[in-house]
Amino acid sequence: MPNSAGSVMSVNSLTVESVSEILALATLLEGEDPLKRATRLAKRRIALLFYESSTRTRTSFELAAKGLGADTTLVSSLSSSIEKGETLKDTGLTLRALGAEAIILRHPSSGSPWLLEQETRLPVLNAGDGMHEHPSQALLDLRTILAHLRPGVETVTAETLAGVTVTIVGDILHSRVARSNMLLLPKLGARVILCGPPQLLPAVAVEAGPGIEIERDLATAMKQSQVVMMLRIQAERLAGLQLDLEEYKTSYQLNEARLAEHAPTALVMHPGPIIRGLELTGEVADGPQSVILEQVHHGVAIRMALVERALTLGNATGGRQ
Ligand code: CP
């Protein structure tokens, strides 16, 4: 079953050229007159289907779609017939029958976007599937990195991030954000260092793709990095893993002293939600090197581009019935 042309379910399906087009479209839409922009998808219907909680992704996709003039509807697992046992397939088919032309899906099961696309034949935007991927987050992270390290770059290539090292720290095992970033950033030439304890970073992680290394020592990793991307410990996915949080903080928490000593000019990123005092301190989160809220800001432009693209490229497999 081919992907719908407008779907974005994995970073793997994005070529460097398509990444460049998405970035350019984000910039175009962000700069466009809001009234003109709102005519692009006027009265088109987009469903947000969220089986897990979300603040940033849900809100920014909704603002993005509305900014393009689309009508949106939110279906969440706690206030819909999903609670009564309705399957993903039946919920998707119901949304399509109600006129949805694309579905933005967050779901705890890896691979669920592919099932939804197969059953509905609609473009699906993956807003996070289990521990698998979060492609729109990686794209907004990329836009944030480019804004700081490659300002003014309009077109990205396989060399755009040559010489840039990004260290991703913490709960790599459970992180769809880490996976999408470690697949995306090396496509543009970045080196990615994964850093964390073996319980949260199995050695096999280097096999996820090219350009990925493991460094267990945070100071060693930070010294080599222009970007330090911190991750939340995903308590909801630890499922019996023995992890001493005090030990974790001793070795991996990003605090002001560590940052000043090992990476005084690096960008500090975090996809959110942040847990102050665990993976990073409040001082670092609010400090001058933090671009955490900039990441959130870039999410709207990137998601406008993804929504516009989803409805413009449509689907390759039949579409709305
Ligand atoms: N980064 C991210 O996905 O945040 P939310 O869970 O709030 O959407």
Side-chain angles (χ1 to χ4, degrees):
M1 177 71 64
N3 281 357
S4 293
S7 291
V8 175
M9 302 191 286
S10 166
V11 160
N12 272 330
S13 67
L14 296 175
T15 61
V16 173
E17 291 72 28
S18 59
V19 171
S20 205
E21 284 165 17
I22 290 166
L23 292 168
L25 184 55
T27 299
L28 175 81
L29 294 171
E30 190 176 54
E32 202 165 65
D33 172 66
L35 292 176
K36 180 177 172 216
R37 190 170 62 208
T39 64
R40 284 180 172 264
L41 300 181
K43 306 314 284 179
R44 305 286 295 271
R45 290 183 183 165
I46 294 173
L48 296 110
L49 179 51
F50 275 64
Y51 288 74
E52 288 183 344
S53 57
S54 168
T55 299
R56 282 146 286 270
T57 312
R58 201 195 85 188
T59 309
S60 57
F61 262 123
E62 190 172 347
L63 289 172
K66 287 195 161 112
L68 296 166
D71 286 342
T72 64
T73 186
L74 170 69
V75 176
S76 77
S77 51
L78 291 181
S79 58
S80 69
S81 288
I82 296 166
E83 269 192 314
K84 302 173 190 164
E86 189 168 58
T87 63
L88 176 61
K89 169 181 173 175
D90 288 323
T91 303
L93 291 174
T94 300
L95 291 173
R96 188 180 71 179
L98 289 166
E101 296 174 75
I103 301 178
I104 297 158
L105 176 68
R106 171 166 289 193
H107 197 281
S109 299
S110 300
S112 49
W114 282 263
L115 174 73
L116 185 65
E117 188 202 60
Q118 182 178 314
E119 297 297 346
T120 64
R121 309 285 205 272
L122 292 175
V124 173
L125 298 176
N126 181 0
D129 63 325
M131 298 186 287
H132 180 231
E133 277 218 47
H134 196 346
S136 64
Q137 178 72 43
L139 287 163
L140 73 88
D141 289 341
L142 171 62
R143 193 170 196 250
T144 309
I145 292 170
L146 291 170
H148 284 268
L149 301 185
R150 298 289 184 269
V153 165
E154 302 281 343
T155 305
V156 293
T157 69
E159 282 84 43
T160 297
L161 290 180
V164 172
T165 298
V166 179
T167 288
I168 307 178
V169 186
D171 189 357
I172 313 285
L173 178 65
H174 301 105
S175 176
R176 51 199 178 204
V177 175
R179 182 184 294 267
S180 287
N181 268 296
M182 75 174 87
L183 294 175
L184 179 63
L185 297 172
K187 282 181 193 260
L188 305 186
R191 174 179 171 228
V192 171
I193 300 178
L194 305 178
C195 185
Q199 304 98 303
L200 299 179
L201 173 54
V204 72
V206 288
E207 293 173 22
I212 303 169
E213 301 164 33
I214 288 180
E215 171 53 63
R216 302 276 178 205
D217 181 64
L218 181 55
T220 306
M222 286 173 67
K223 281 176 193 160
Q224 304 172 60
S225 302
Q226 288 75 44
V227 178
V228 181
M229 188 181 291
M230 305 305 296
L231 299 174
R232 181 174 67 89
I233 300 287
Q234 299 197 31
E236 71 275 27
R237 298 189 216 274
L238 289 182
L241 254 187
Q242 295 302 315
L243 186 72
D244 183 322
L245 290 182
E246 288 309 314
E247 261 179 40
Y248 179 82
K249 285 197 276 188
T250 302
S251 299
Y252 294 106
Q253 184 186 70
L254 189 58
N255 55 37
E256 279 184 307
R258 272 202 170 114
L259 194 57
E261 185 175 355
H262 305 305
T265 61
L267 301 179
V268 173
M269 301 180 72
H270 192 306
I274 61 173
I275 308 298
R276 289 169 185 258
L278 182 46
E279 66 269 14
L280 80 177
T281 61
E283 290 75 21
V284 170
D286 299 331
Q289 290 175 245
S290 170
V291 295
I292 294 170
L293 294 178
E294 286 180 44
Q295 291 171 258
V296 176
H297 177 77
H298 285 298
V300 178
I302 285 293
R303 287 169 176 137
M304 278 198 291
L306 294 177
V307 169
E308 165 87 4
R309 191 173 171 273
L311 290 201
T312 307
L313 297 179
N315 64 63
T317 54
R320 190 174 168 187
Q321 291 182 349

